[in-house]
Amino acid sequence: MANTGELALIQQIRQRAAHRSGTVRLGIGDDCAVLRPPTGHDILVTTDFSLEGRHFRRDWHPAVSVGHRCLARGLSDLAAMGAKPMAAFLSLALPEGLSKTATGRRWIQGFLAGLMALADATGTPLAGGDTAAAPGEAILADIVLLGSAPRGSELRRSTARPGDSLYVTGALGGASAEFQALAARPQRFRRAIADAAHPHLFPIPRLAAGQRLRRLATAAIDLSDGLSTDLRHLCEESAVGAAVDAAALPIHPLAQASASPLDHALNGGEDYELLFTASPTARVPKQIGGIPITRIGQITRSRGIFLSGNGEDEPLRAAGWEHRI
Ligand SMILES: Nc1ncnc2c1ncn2[C@@H]1O[C@H](COP(=O)(O)OP(=O)(O)OP(=O)(O)O)[C@@H](O)[C@H]1O
Ligand SMILES: Cc1ncc(C[n+]2csc(CCOP(=O)(O)O)c2C)c(N)n1
Ligand SMILES: [Mg+2]
């Protein structure tokens, strides 16, 4: 017998996702979606899990936040490479019987509302996905994002050069500080809505900044694991080192108000800001679309990564997020 739960859910997603777009020739409903990138553009592809217990908890994160964050994770990777979103694909594994309870139905509705609100706000059509009953009790989501950029113009991690200046967009540590507050008192965040005051629950992928940086930056990465770890990724891929000025770091007010502002900013993760490098002679604006841009250090020929403060340099250990496998 057909699983009415699955079919009804897909039907609902299909209605909500109906979207006219030049690039999505065929969206939800057939065996594949058909996409057509703009002439002269390359296609960029990224995929990210959102796993209950790892990336969110149902008793901590409101469902709208889980949906928003699921899409934001992928959009941030597109932003890091200067791509414009073309289409998203959502694979969902839901515990058996979830849609049979009112609480479960509300969770699914909230998740989809959060995801689709960000999809609408960023012009990202949901063009397909997959739905299945999860083998266990955890909700598992995977988002695939496709984006486009003029051929050969994408930003990479591997192209920073010694002497380049190092910059970040926005502020650091806010997501981690808010996450700590959420874990301590989740009920305070039940009704949080998507705005810039919630860097953990509703991060804003820096798509406009990324696209603008295509002509300005020499290399870029998005900050998902934490500055200390993501800077190491960029330096390793580029075979360079870096010197970061601790006093220059733009620390988010939520982190500033916490017991360990610098630790949140360096190692907290999930800020989804962009870390990028530019030639010392490039004219890097003070802000892009209202998002401040801050110079936090420079790229060095010698391969070490250092943090300077109080006139002293100390090695910057990669102490951000790493999945223990
Ligand atoms: N299971 C896998 N199979 C193939 N490639 C993978 C796998 N996991 C990761 N990669 C690739 O490794 C590279 C680094 O992946 P990683 O997930 O660390 O990216 P990230 O942007 O730093 O992290 P995230 O977006 O998850 O926060 C990417 O090119 C990614 O496509
Ligand atoms: C329940 C719960 N526990 C811990 C965290 C923190 N966290 C999870 S993954 C990650 C780094 C980015 O992930 P990835 O490397 O998979 O992209 C961070 C900082 C959370 N958000 N929810
Ligand atoms: Mg990334």
Side-chain angles (χ1 to χ4, degrees), residues 5-325:
E6 177 193 351
L7 295 182
L9 180 57
I10 295 173
Q11 194 52 29
Q12 191 201 334
I13 294 175
R14 182 177 183 175
Q15 274 161 10
R16 180 65 181 80
H19 193 289
R20 232 179 290 280
S21 146
T23 55
V24 179
R25 312 306 296 183
L26 185 64
I28 297 177
D30 216 310
D31 290 307
C32 296
V34 180
L35 308 182
R36 187 174 301 167
T39 313
H41 284 56
D42 286 332
I43 300 177
L44 291 87
V45 187
T46 177
T47 179
D48 278 287
F49 273 134
S50 290
L51 308 178
E52 184 173 5
R54 283 277 170 257
H55 300 97
F56 69 91
R57 280 177 51 156
R58 258 186 278 175
D59 55 346
W60 290 359
H61 297 79
V64 268
S65 160
V66 181
H68 176 107
R69 286 166 50 78
C70 174
L71 182 61
R73 283 160 62 67
L75 288 173
S76 179
D77 282 326
L78 291 185
M81 297 193 65
K84 182 170 180 259
M86 253 172 63
F89 294 81
L90 172 67
S91 293
L92 262 183
L94 301 172
E96 219 170 310
L98 188 73
S99 66
K100 292 204 165 54
T101 67
T103 320
R105 280 194 297 276
R106 258 200 310 279
W107 194 92
I108 298 170
Q109 297 310 324
F111 173 87
L112 291 175
L115 190 146
M116 292 309 300
L118 183 61
D120 291 345
T122 55
T124 309
L126 180 60
D130 193 23
T131 306
E137 289 309 308
I139 294 173
L140 314 171
D142 183 67
I143 195 88
V144 173
L145 274 153
L146 288 93
S148 65
R151 196 168 293 164
S153 74
E154 80 283 350
L155 294 166
R156 301 184 177 198
R157 298 176 176 184
S158 53
T159 41
R161 296 175 301 221
D164 282 353
S165 290
L166 184 64
Y167 299 86
V168 282
T169 61
L172 304 178
S176 161
E178 187 181 38
F179 178 65
Q180 206 169 53
L182 173 73
R185 292 184 59 192
Q187 65 286 359
R188 267 184 52 206
F189 297 85
R190 272 286 126 70
R191 288 174 204 292
I193 53 163
D195 66 34
H198 294 293
H200 174 80
L201 292 177
F202 299 101
I204 303 169
R206 301 305 187 195
L207 286 161
Q211 287 168 57
R212 172 80 190 282
L213 289 172
R214 280 204 312 261
R215 295 155 151 273
L216 269 174
T218 47
I221 184 170
D222 69 318
L223 294 174
S224 53
D225 296 335
L227 177 67
S228 66
T229 293
D230 289 319
L231 173 58
R232 185 162 299 268
H233 293 322
L234 185 140
C235 286
E236 280 174 2
E237 291 296 326
S238 292
V240 294
V244 174
D245 178 3
L249 293 174
I251 299 186
H252 192 284
L254 289 176
Q256 208 64 264
S258 77
S260 46
L262 192 60
D263 187 43
H264 283 299
L266 291 174
N267 308 317
E270 297 186 296
D271 281 321
Y272 297 112
E273 295 294 350
L274 303 183
L275 174 71
F276 66 94
T277 58
S279 150
T281 59
R283 285 177 192 231
V284 176
K286 296 254 176 300
Q287 49 105 356
I288 299 177
I291 309 305
I293 307 289
T294 311
R295 185 180 183 281
I296 61 163
Q298 69 173 5
I299 296 298
T300 56
R301 189 173 302 282
S302 74
R303 297 285 298 267
I305 301 177
F306 293 93
L307 183 69
S308 62
N310 310 323
E312 279 180 45
D313 283 357
E314 55 180 85
L316 177 60
R317 216 165 48 83
W321 179 271
E322 195 178 341
H323 289 280
R324 285 192 291 269
I325 306 174

